[in-house]
DNA sequence: CGCGGTTTTGAAAGCGTGTGCATTCATCGT
DNA sequence: ACGATGAATGCACACGCTTTCAAAACCGCG
């Protein structure tokens, strides 16, 4: 049914090896013969079967991309950049979507069976054992957005504490005194670092959070938690959110209550997703250097795929404060 | 390097055939022997190589997913649902990102070389010839969000005209007289249908568009075009946008100009992306039945993969009006 | 114990490709 | 003209797996 190299060979009156060589850059074959073969292949709609090719020991060119709920603006923004960059390196992203809370291991296992050359893991929790198993299977991994404790794999991650220190500085500069926090799921790496980073930076200024609440990184949860904060007896004059999506929800909550942002309450987020710059929000936030993160991660990964054996490296990329209207 | 079935066979003291059978559901093998083999495989970290397996004529389980700029909220929302549904059918999405305006053919060609079982095409333009080539290569395709002229492939698509008719009805009901349109790229299927659907429905009510402008389906472009419309001598009292992202931009534009929505100007979009429901927008829009669309598309596709040969079918799913605050 | 029938089992033949190896062929220098 | 050189070519094997096929083992029953 599917047209193979044998078909092309028969039609072109050459051996199958010749067909293979015609498609191999720099192989020893007469130029006009190659042209003829390629023409016949074109006519028949033939393309070398990459599965079979990879069987002989070559790479598949497949990169597993483990990513969380794509409905989140941050995740989809990230995947947009990542998938483009993977393609521009001549590789192909095999998407492995995992729901929050879902185990990553069985899905990744299955992806490994596709002989992926490597994996970029941007969601779910991965321990050292899993990382080692992947590497042992010839598929090095790079973890993005968190640092692997135990150091089983390379990782690239924004410097969350530094980002929060910038926020704290801005809070002090604008004279905020009653500062509240809306975080995400307590067990996520970024949430922990951002929370600790904020409290530490505030403590250095002699300040402390007056209230802390927990959302789930969605806009809706940010709105719900902000409504609770802003209707409490001692209303905060600033709300720091663990990510931009919740901050956007918080702005919506303030508006609904008739509060002015930033005069009555300052609001800020983290990541600088595209929507943060939309005028109705104009969110002051910390820019997560996603493009640089992706580049660094892919560079690390391709090096490992090429066989580099050195110690695992952890890259921390510096974020930048984006001052807009909301704080 | 990578552990193969031979390794497992040697370690378990059986033949390679036995190992293969142990992993094949319903194969003829003694239960305790299978258990033993599976245990050994587990110890060695063995999983059958899916590339090699697919070589014998079986399916790869790979579905190429051609999708456009994921930074767009609609696209990422769509991909979120699609990827989950693909996984829940036991298949795997091979992501093929294409930039707007970029040719889809070379990318899809390359994906075909991975022996994908089929393809879901939600971006780029596909003609009948390309569709036939895919089908001939054993990879049926289904086109989503547009209808293939010439009918070379199944397609699933929202009934854009019906949606616009609902909008027109609402416009009349709220007494709008000067209605403007902000569309997307002129050559896209959804843009053409939505525009024609709106003008036709308005004409049936004795109305006509007072102004039309062209954006590119992004929030920024919606804002730019809406600013132009709302500062023109004859300001419209309603703006219909080709999608939600532009409508959100239009709301931002109205706010910046100090206009009240919907009192001074009604604004509506199309798709009902998650952000449309966010309170600061509360966008009246037409709900694109994305989940149903995805299900229908995958059902069609899996049937084709199973070998169904019938005539191509075009499924039109009915949209629904979502009345919120903006119109 | 023998025999028909049913499972289990291992050997071997592919699946489509890349490539080492030996062979052929053209080319070139002397 | 002739041997040396190098490119071009075809054969055959390897990759890891599934599956057919025939042989072997097992079962129940007379």
């Amino acid at each position: 049914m599917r047209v193979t190299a044998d078909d092309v060979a028969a039609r072109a009156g050459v051996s199958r090896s010749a067909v293979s060589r015609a498609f191999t850059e720099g192989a020893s074959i007469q130029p006009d013969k190659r042209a003829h073969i390629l023409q016949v292949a074109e006519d028949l709609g033939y393309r070398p079967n990459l599965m079979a090719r990879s069987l002989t020991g070559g790479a598949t060119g497949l990169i597993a991309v483990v990513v969380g709920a794509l409905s989140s603006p941050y995740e989809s923004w990230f995947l947009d950049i990542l998938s483009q960059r993977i393609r521009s390196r001549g590789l192909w992203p095999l998407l492995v979507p995992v729901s929050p809370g879902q185990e990553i291991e069985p899905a990744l296992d299955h992806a490994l069976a596709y002989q992926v050359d490597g994996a970029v893991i941007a969601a779910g929790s991965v321990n050292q054992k899993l990382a080692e198993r992947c590497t042992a299977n010839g598929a090095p991994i790079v973890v993005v957005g968190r640092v692997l404790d135990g150091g089983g794999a390379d990782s690239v991650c924004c410097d969350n504490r530094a980002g929060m220190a910038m926020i704290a500085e801005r809070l002090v500069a604008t004279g905020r005194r009653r500062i509240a926090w809306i975080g995400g799921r307590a067990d996520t790496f970024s949430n922990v670092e951002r929370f600790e980073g904020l409290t530490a930076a505030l403590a250095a200024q002699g300040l402390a959070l007056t209230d802390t609440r927990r959302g789930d990184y969605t806009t809706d949860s940010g709105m719900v938690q902000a409504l609770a904060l802003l209707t409490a007896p001692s209303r905060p004059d600033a709300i720091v959110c663990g990510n931009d999506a919740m901050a956007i929800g918080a702005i919506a909550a303030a508006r609904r209550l008739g509060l002015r942002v930033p005069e009555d309450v300052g609001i800020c987020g983290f990541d600088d997703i595209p929507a943060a710059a939309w005028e109705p929000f104009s969110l002051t936030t910390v820019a997560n250097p996603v493009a640089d993160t992706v580049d660094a991660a892919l560079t690390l990964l391709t090096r490992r795929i090429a066989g580099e054996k050195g110690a695992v490296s952890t890259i921390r990329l510096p974020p930048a404060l984006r001052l807009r209207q909301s704080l």
Side-chain angles (χ1 to χ4, degrees), chain A residues 238-315:
Chain A
I239 300 179
V240 180
C241 298
N243 73 348
D244 283 352
M246 291 196 298
I248 285 173
I251 289 180
R255 294 255 173 76
R256 182 199 279 192
L257 296 174
L259 296 171
R260 291 166 307 160
V261 178
E263 294 84 352
D264 299 326
V265 55
I267 293 175
C268 66
F270 203 114
D271 285 339
D272 197 25
I273 61 175
W278 292 357
E279 188 146 334
F281 307 131
S282 189
L283 185 66
T284 291
T285 186
V286 174
N288 194 336
V290 170
D292 292 343
T293 301
V294 165
D295 279 334
L298 289 181
T299 300
L300 244 38
L301 188 59
T302 48
R303 262 192 219 144
R304 291 282 178 204
I305 291 174
E308 190 171 290
K309 284 293 174 202
V312 302
S313 55
T314 300
I315 296 183

Side-chain angles (χ1 to χ4, degrees), chain A residues 6-67:
Chain A
D6 274 313
D7 302 331
V8 177
R11 186 86 138 70
V14 299
S15 75
R16 206 182 45 68
S17 312
V19 176
S20 175
R21 277 189 262 265
F23 279 90
T24 307
E25 197 72 23
S28 178
I29 186 174
Q30 223 163 354
D32 55 344
K33 189 172 207 169
R34 157 174 282 156
H36 175 55
I37 292 176
L38 290 181
Q39 181 57 50
V40 171
E42 170 81 25
D43 294 346
L44 265 52
Y46 168 77
R47 304 241 2 189
N49 182 334
L50 289 181
M51 313 273 103
R53 170 181 288 181
S54 76
L55 210 51
T56 71
T60 59
L62 251 29
I63 301 287
V65 172
V66 180
V67 78

Side-chain angles (χ1 to χ4, degrees), chain A residues 60-211:
Chain A
T60 59
L62 251 29
I63 301 287
V65 172
V66 180
V67 78
L70 291 180
S71 52
S72 128
Y74 174 78
E75 296 276 354
S76 59
W77 179 42
F78 175 82
L79 179 61
D80 186 26
I81 296 174
L82 176 61
S83 60
Q84 299 277 1
R85 294 289 212 280
I86 287 180
R87 281 293 317 279
S88 70
R89 286 174 187 244
L91 301 169
W92 287 76
L94 182 66
L95 199 55
V96 184
V98 295
S99 311
Q102 189 182 337
E103 263 312 314
I104 190 186
E105 189 158 347
L108 188 55
D109 248 9
H110 202 143
L112 284 183
Y114 278 110
Q115 312 299 107
V116 294
D117 293 339
V120 177
I121 301 187
S125 61
V126 33
N127 53 37
Q128 190 175 355
K129 186 156 149 284
L130 180 57
E132 275 165 6
R133 196 148 56 83
C134 291
T135 311
N137 271 326
I141 71 177
V142 55
V143 179
V144 174
R146 80 219 62 189
V147 172
L148 205 52
D149 39 336
D154 295 326
S155 48
V156 184
C157 178
C158 161
D159 189 342
N160 291 303
R161 292 172 207 272
M164 277 304 177
M166 296 174 190
I167 296 265
E169 195 178 339
R170 175 68 180 173
L171 289 167
V172 171
T174 58
R176 312 289 170 167
R177 306 296 304 173
R178 298 184 309 285
I179 301 165
W181 162 258
I182 301 179
R185 285 183 42 198
D187 57 345
T188 65
F189 182 86
S190 68
N191 184 64
V192 170
E193 279 211 347
R194 291 173 188 181
F195 177 71
E196 293 180 359
L198 179 63
T199 51
L202 287 179
Q205 308 270 1
L207 290 173
L209 290 171
T210 57
D211 208 345

